[in-house]
Amino acid sequence: MRLLTLSSLAFFALTSVARADPFQEITVGVPVPSLSEAERWYAKFFGTDTEVIRPAPGVVEFKVAPGVWFQLFEADAQQSQGAVVRYQVDDMAAAQTARADAGITTGEAIEIPGVVTYSEFSDPFGNALGFYALPKAGPQQ
């Protein structure tokens, strides 16, 4: 199984399943052998004004366009070396049910409490995809 990162573009064929803008954000995750080296290189590539977050150990994300995050994660030798495109959804269960109704399996929803709920799956062509839902903000006290 791929390393979870918070934070996958092949759903154009789902127009009969989803509304015009079914996802809030898209994260493209790229495995790298050295996170520190990759972070330095991509920081130069994207520029110093690019928003950078480190949502979990072993993960660095660059906000490269509105609603688009480029994510680096350190991969070990057992992981696939391909990129993964992940789609943020409001409601994991609803997103998975809508795809299941269309005959598409989207993997098991895995929750990391207070951080993220995610699933990982592939399209029929072997491209790595995923859904992720962030925790809903509770009432402010």
Side-chain angles (χ1 to χ4, degrees):
M1 179 186 263
R2 290 187 173 275
L3 170 71
L4 166 68
T5 55
L6 300 178
S7 298
S8 296
L9 298 180
F11 275 102
F12 296 119
L14 293 178
T15 55
S16 64
V17 175
R19 56 189 195 275
D21 58 343
F23 307 110
Q24 298 173 5
E25 292 187 342
I26 295 174
T27 300
V28 178
V30 177
V32 296
S34 170
L35 189 61
S36 60
E37 288 178 42
E39 181 178 359
R40 282 191 300 274
W41 192 90
Y42 278 101
K44 290 183 211 175
F45 178 74
F46 293 129
T48 57
D49 292 338
T50 303
E51 181 180 350
V52 177
I53 63 171
R54 292 168 189 81
V59 179
V60 176
E61 297 181 354
F62 297 86
K63 188 169 189 174
V64 296
V68 180
W69 292 87
F70 184 83
Q71 179 185 81
L72 301 170
F73 61 94
E74 202 157 54
D76 62 31
Q78 295 178 346
Q79 293 177 313
S80 167
Q81 292 302 307
V84 57
V85 180
R86 295 185 178 89
Y87 299 90
Q88 182 181 356
V89 297
D90 275 331
D91 181 324
M92 179 64 72
Q96 290 189 302
T97 297
R99 280 28 179 228
D101 290 348
I104 298 168
T105 302
T106 57
E108 177 186 357
I110 299 168
E111 181 180 3
I112 299 175
V115 178
V116 67
T117 300
Y118 70 97
S119 68
E120 297 173 329
F121 54 101
S122 297
D123 69 13
F125 315 102
N127 297 301
L129 306 172
F131 286 150
Y132 66 99
L134 300 176
K136 303 234 185 290
Q140 299 296 320
Q141 295 185 6

